[in-house]
Amino acid sequence: MKGGYTGKMLRVNLSTGKIVKEGLPPEPARKFLGGVGLGSYLLLKEVPAGADPLGESNKLFFCTGPLTGTRIPTGRYVVTFKSPLTSILGWSSSAGHWGPELKFAGYDALIVEGVSPSPVYLWIDDDSVELRKAQHLWGATTGETQKRIRKELGDEEVRVACIGPAGEKLVRFASIINDEGRAAGRCGAGAVMGSKKLKAVAVRGHGGVKVAEPEKVSEVVKKMYEVWKSEPFVRSLHLYGTDAMTSFTSGIAAFPTRNFQSGWFEEWEKLSGPTLSRTLLVKKVGCFGCPIACGRVSVVKSGPYRGMVVWGPEYEHVNTFGAGCGNSDLETVSICHQLVNEYGMDGISCGRAISFAMECHEKGLLKREEADGLDLSWGNGETMVELVRRIGERRGIGDLLAEGTRLAARKLGRGSEKYAMQTKGLEYAGYEPRGMKGMALTYALGNRGGCHITTGMLYLDIGTMTWMYPLDSPLDPQALDLEKVKAEVALERRYTVVESAVLCKFFAGIVFTPSLMASSLSAVTGWEIDEGEVDRIGERIWTLQRLFNVREGITRKDDTLPERFFTEPLPDGFSRGQVLDRKTFEEMLDAYYRMVGWDEEGIPKEEKVRELGLGEFLPLR
Amino acid sequence: MRLYLRVDLDKCTGCRTCELACLDAKKKEYNPKKALIRVTFVPPYFFLPLSCQFCEKPPCVSSCPEGALEVDERHRIKVDPQKCIGCTWCLNVCPFGAIVLDEETNVVRVCDLCDGDPECAKACPTGALELVPSETAGLKNRISAAQKLLAGLMLSGEALKEVKG
């Protein structure tokens, strides 16, 4: 390989303690690049059908991509696994500096398999790799764990990706945290780490990443800098963090409120990016090589948590712990944000679990006595903070909510299923699919469940744009038509390539054109990749992910959304009266399946599978 | 007149674009440990990019056993690759940890401010790095301090009272 890759993978078996350095297989690298592409390929190949996500046969694939560690922003890693929250494909990606560091240590990927008999952490110091005892770290929060490992190893620049108490307790949406507050948040990667008794992976690398054509890389860098400076949405991410989004979604009343009862939150301005900048913000933080610096650091100014340093808050938490729970206090949001980071769990799923409980209470399905005596009224900040703690520790009512809304509703029964706001078990982020109808497709079809970021649809649906799918004029957020289906198909492919390269969806996902994506990959790897092939690679990976899910039992019936979106029109604001039409939705699903070469049941057709070079995975079941 | 890199701590986001730009200019491999400017994270939430400070009495120069380092007329440290024996003693004595050993050539490297137009400062997306002459070094800090002080007065309404009498 000419550039971009180190050419090595690290395989660690926790059951036997065996550590092996393997060559990166060149053919899969060419076909699936890295990141979520390579991870999904390895997952389908190595994890048997029906594997218990929290059992010995599940594996974690930490994959960087060819662009990780170069000057093209930004250094991410993706961890792929079978999800304990959804029982299908799980992946989660995180930025900061951990991914590049793994590459500087000499590895494109780290594969973790087996289960350790006692808590351990992995210490990768270039060529020297060892498993160290972690009994003394078990129970520590993520911030504390990072600090103590750095101290123990005598190196303040060691990068640590770790789990907190939630991962240890197998909270089904536990996350992995690195670089203070960067999270591989979704799908429960932290619970898989916890089930393997792996507390952390600490990395220090002294090597570098070579690129095939340095001059061309410099050209790409120059071009993308020209674009990002003039792109208003990206600039607003710098100015206001991801919370900039609050103004956009609130503007069209698609800011999920009180567990998706509405898209209009009267007090949204108290939660907005400009408010955050004016009140709690103390610092903007950038990930490796990224000019945007959407990261925030805030400090809580009052109450029992006064002085708490918060690495955030991010938009999704502003929605899930804010409007989602009917709460307009940005300090409560910030406290919940920092607590979910410290416990190591996904704030989207956690926030939605809390609003699920609040709605069940409102509808009389969950009594106060059953909720440990907590007052579950909308917007009760004290209850929310307490619930975050109880979920992170699996204590009392928290034990039920730690299962995720789908399973919690199944256990609670009483018709509570309709208040679990999820697809395939993964809770929705802060975009209302009745007011942003393209998101209905993205949520329904996402290969990891109700995810908001597998396509860039959300940018189209707020009336802004993404260079990844250039349009002559903005789309109508409230339309669900063939234009949206076409966008869904194109964007899921291109965004999957972004997640395999591995680039950031705020940066590459908005300011890169497909042609810039192609030239980045070519310049770094030395392979000839054009726009057509970018789409081809994306299609291949997307189909491969679907194959994994089909193997685990997913069909058309799972590509859907909760009943609420089809029967309850939005009550207020710009989106007032908007609702999804069942018939149109099913027609769009048909159109989508036809476009991507799947049959009516959503199963990829054999000839399609072969055409994409995935024949080795046939027959499907 | 001396030039040095002024760092605006409020603006630095810790993104390490300066390290990457330095590598782009000086080396054709992305290895931050070889960059001549390095960003250090200082808890709880600060980042500080550090490079050669062009000391008036540089300990690296005075302690080099081979006399391989010298200060040129523009206060930059010059390394004579013929004389440098790669002993790394200068790494030990530099108070800013700003000297790097090139493991391929075994010669030490120091920031030369890219001939007066440093790539790191040009690349910094937030303008946190700026090449300034020593004479005006304190000026920006004074202005920003004055603005903060005045802003405090404005907020409390005292400035207004002053004006109105």
Side-chain angles (χ1 to χ4, degrees):
Chain A
M1 289 174 199
K2 283 184 249 174
Y5 294 94
T6 67
K8 267 191 301 179
M9 300 200 295
L10 192 62
R11 189 182 288 272
V12 178
N13 188 312
L14 295 170
S15 299
T16 60
K18 210 169 137 197
I19 297 169
V20 187
K21 286 156 198 159
E22 299 176 358
L24 177 75
E27 206 203 314
R30 183 71 179 81
K31 279 165 78 173
F32 306 102
L33 298 176
V36 79
L38 185 65
S40 303
Y41 169 78
L42 293 169
L43 181 77
L44 182 52
K45 223 174 147 61
E46 296 192 11
V47 173
D52 173 5
L54 298 175
E56 199 169 356
S57 54
N58 198 5
K59 299 186 186 187
L60 289 158
F61 303 94
F62 293 84
C63 297
T64 67
L67 304 189
T68 307
T70 72
R71 201 177 159 186
I72 302 172
T74 165
R76 295 184 81 90
Y77 69 93
V78 182
V79 50
T80 311
F81 50 95
K82 186 174 175 185
S83 162
L85 182 64
T86 64
S87 292
I88 56 171
L89 174 93
W91 62 262
S92 203
S93 89
S94 174
H97 303 266
W98 190 91
E101 199 72 21
L102 181 68
K103 219 152 150 195
F104 298 145
Y107 309 100
D108 293 311
L110 160 69
I111 302 167
V112 178
E113 45 193 41
V115 170
S116 172
S118 61
V120 286
Y121 76 90
L122 185 67
W123 167 218
I124 303 172
D125 185 12
D126 291 327
D127 269 350
S128 126
V129 183
E130 60 172 319
L131 285 166
R132 297 170 66 107
K133 288 199 175 85
Q135 194 65 58
H136 60 298
L137 297 168
W138 210 246
T141 62
T142 57
E144 191 62 25
T145 303
Q146 297 178 58
K147 210 157 71 187
R148 274 158 68 179
I149 288 180
R150 280 188 217 126
K151 199 163 174 210
E152 188 171 309
L153 298 172
D155 187 339
E156 284 303 315
E157 286 192 344
V158 164
R159 305 287 174 182
V160 181
C162 65
I163 58 169
E168 297 168 13
K169 298 268 186 193
L170 310 181
V171 172
R172 286 187 188 270
F173 43 81
S175 64
I176 301 173
I177 300 281
N178 60 277
D179 292 289
E180 310 306 314
R182 289 283 129 196
R186 308 230 68 189
C187 298
V192 180
M193 255 174 96
S195 75
K196 298 190 173 309
K197 298 267 191 322
L198 179 65
K199 179 72 178 170
V201 181
V203 192
R204 185 75 162 120
H206 294 84
V209 177
K210 285 195 173 68
V211 296
E213 296 173 83
E215 281 73 29
K216 283 199 182 154
V217 172
S218 300
E219 270 171 45
V220 170
V221 170
K222 224 175 115 191
K223 266 192 210 154
M224 71 190 199
Y225 264 66
E226 276 164 21
V227 185
W228 97 269
K229 286 204 166 151
S230 58
E231 178 56 53
F233 184 71
V234 177
R235 288 298 294 172
S236 69
L237 282 175
H238 172 74
L239 290 171
Y240 304 123
T242 52
D243 194 6
M245 188 59 94
T246 299
S247 313
F248 289 87
T249 46
S250 296
I252 54 171
F255 191 49
T257 302
R258 295 180 194 91
N259 205 35
F260 290 82
Q261 291 184 14
S262 175
W264 174 248
F265 188 55
E266 319 75 44
E267 297 177 279
W268 67 270
E269 270 172 297
K270 292 185 183 164
L271 297 170
S272 73
T275 304
L276 173 65
S277 293
R278 254 196 330 270
T279 55
L280 310 177
L281 182 76
V282 292
K283 184 97 190 136
K284 296 171 185 167
V285 182
C287 298
F288 185 81
C290 181
I292 303 180
C294 67
R296 309 280 105 168
V297 182
S298 309
V299 173
V300 176
K301 300 254 166 74
S302 63
Y305 288 90
R306 185 167 178 263
M308 181 191 228
V309 175
V310 177
W311 287 74
E314 303 289 342
Y315 169 73
E316 304 305 343
H317 295 184
V318 167
N319 182 260
T320 59
F321 294 115
C325 289
N327 162 46
S328 63
D329 179 26
L330 203 47
E331 286 206 336
T332 304
V333 169
S334 302
I335 295 161
C336 290
H337 172 99
Q338 188 59 22
L339 284 178
V340 292
N341 275 3
E342 291 293 357
Y343 278 103
M345 51 186 175
D346 175 17
I348 301 179
S349 292
C350 183
R352 295 289 183 241
I354 293 173
S355 58
F356 163 77
M358 286 178 159
E359 182 156 24
C360 286
H361 174 71
E362 184 191 48
K363 299 286 182 329
L365 308 178
L366 188 63
K367 294 201 175 59
R368 188 167 178 158
E369 311 84 78
E370 295 171 300
D372 309 335
L374 294 168
D375 172 16
L376 288 170
S377 323
W378 293 114
N380 187 328
E382 270 172 47
T383 294
M384 289 168 57
V385 169
E386 183 57 27
L387 276 177
V388 170
R389 290 189 173 280
R390 283 170 188 255
I391 293 170
E393 293 160 18
R394 268 192 180 271
R395 195 154 47 82
I397 181 77
D399 192 35
L400 176 73
L401 299 176
E403 296 287 85
T405 55
R406 183 174 66 173
L407 205 53
R410 245 180 243 163
K411 288 187 174 176
L412 183 65
R414 309 170 189 175
S416 63
E417 284 89 347
K418 60 180 163 202
Y419 305 121
M421 305 314 289
Q422 48 77 29
T423 288
K424 302 185 179 86
L426 190 70
E427 289 79 6
Y428 306 125
Y431 311 91
E432 165 56 64
R434 282 165 291 186
M436 299 167 67
K437 291 213 179 60
M439 289 308 292
L441 291 171
T442 293
Y443 283 155
L445 291 162
N447 277 332
R448 63 171 176 176
C451 163
H452 60 295
I453 200 78
T454 41
T455 70
M457 190 69 85
L458 64 96
Y459 304 122
L460 299 183
D461 267 352
I462 55 172
T464 172
M465 61 190 288
T466 155
W467 287 103
M468 270 290 175
Y469 189 66
L471 289 166
D472 294 331
S473 57
L475 295 181
D476 174 5
Q478 297 172 348
L480 183 61
D481 52 18
L482 286 176
E483 284 304 310
K484 293 275 173 81
V485 181
K486 267 191 237 162
E488 166 73 27
V489 173
L491 281 168
E492 68 194 15
R493 290 175 186 170
R494 291 169 193 169
Y495 269 53
T496 299
V497 172
V498 170
E499 204 71 71
S500 305
V502 179
L503 296 176
C504 175
K505 283 168 175 167
F506 291 149
F507 198 88
I510 302 172
V511 310
F512 270 37
T513 55
S515 112
L516 198 55
M517 185 75 227
S519 42
S520 310
L521 285 167
S522 305
V524 169
T525 61
W527 293 330
E528 275 180 37
I529 294 177
D530 59 14
E531 287 172 55
E533 202 185 338
V534 166
D535 283 349
R536 203 68 179 157
I537 294 172
E539 186 184 5
R540 184 183 296 129
I541 298 168
W542 188 263
T543 310
L544 175 93
Q545 294 177 335
R546 181 72 174 188
L547 292 185
F548 182 89
N549 287 346
V550 166
R551 195 188 74 175
E552 303 298 321
I554 294 291
T555 60
R556 180 183 188 126
K557 70 178 183 331
D558 304 292
D559 297 341
T560 188
L561 300 126
E563 198 53 32
R564 159 168 283 165
F565 297 132
F566 296 98
T567 54
E568 296 175 24
L570 284 171
D572 290 308
F574 182 83
S575 297
R576 186 192 181 119
Q578 290 299 313
V579 68
L580 286 174
D581 177 54
R582 174 72 73 182
K583 192 166 154 276
T584 314
F585 177 78
E586 295 297 334
E587 278 168 18
M588 293 307 126
L589 216 52
D590 283 329
Y592 171 86
Y593 292 152
R594 275 197 302 276
M595 261 184 233
V596 296
W598 299 356
D599 69 16
E600 281 168 11
E601 278 307 298
I603 317 285
K605 290 182 185 160
E606 230 183 274
E607 62 263 30
K608 186 47 130 183
V609 175
R610 284 191 206 288
E611 180 197 315
L612 291 169
L614 300 170
E616 64 178 300
F617 298 110
L618 290 171
L620 289 181
R621 282 193 265 195
Chain B
M1 184 182 78
R2 277 168 60 189
L3 291 171
Y4 81 105
L5 270 182
R6 180 180 183 274
V7 180
D8 188 327
L9 276 180
D10 281 341
K11 284 186 182 164
C12 177
T13 69
C15 74
R16 297 163 76 193
T17 298
C18 50
E19 295 181 7
L20 290 163
C22 178
L23 293 164
D24 255 350
K26 308 281 180 192
K27 283 233 147 206
K28 287 304 167 203
E29 184 191 16
Y30 294 110
N31 181 347
K33 274 89 187 171
K34 308 275 186 217
L36 299 177
I37 182 165
R38 294 296 308 280
V39 181
T40 303
F41 169 54
V42 187
Y45 52 76
F46 292 104
F47 303 95
L48 181 62
L50 270 180
S51 58
C52 178
Q53 297 295 300
F54 310 100
C55 312
E56 187 58 41
K57 295 173 191 163
C60 54
V61 171
S62 55
S63 66
C64 176
E66 297 297 312
L69 274 62
E70 57 176 67
V71 185
D72 74 2
E73 72 288 351
R74 290 160 77 182
H75 285 275
R76 291 173 306 188
I77 310 293
K78 288 281 166 194
V79 182
D80 185 338
Q82 303 303 321
K83 287 188 188 165
C84 175
I85 56 170
C87 70
T88 71
W89 182 243
C90 50
L91 271 73
N92 262 323
V93 298
C94 174
F96 299 96
I99 302 181
V100 171
L101 176 74
D102 187 322
E103 270 148 24
E104 281 154 37
T105 57
N106 269 317
V107 169
V108 294
R109 298 165 58 230
V110 194
C111 169
D112 60 2
L113 289 178
C114 299
D115 238 2
D117 192 14
E119 294 295 331
C120 52
K122 277 195 279 181
C124 178
T126 60
L129 289 172
E130 196 185 359
L131 191 67
V132 293
S134 49
E135 281 83 349
T136 56
L139 182 63
K140 288 214 163 184
N141 288 350
R142 280 205 307 281
I143 292 174
S144 115
Q147 281 170 342
K148 278 179 197 162
L149 290 169
L150 205 58
L153 280 178
M154 298 282 199
L155 280 177
S156 65
E158 283 175 31
L160 216 57
K161 252 187 273 166
E162 289 285 309
V163 178
K164 287 183 179 170

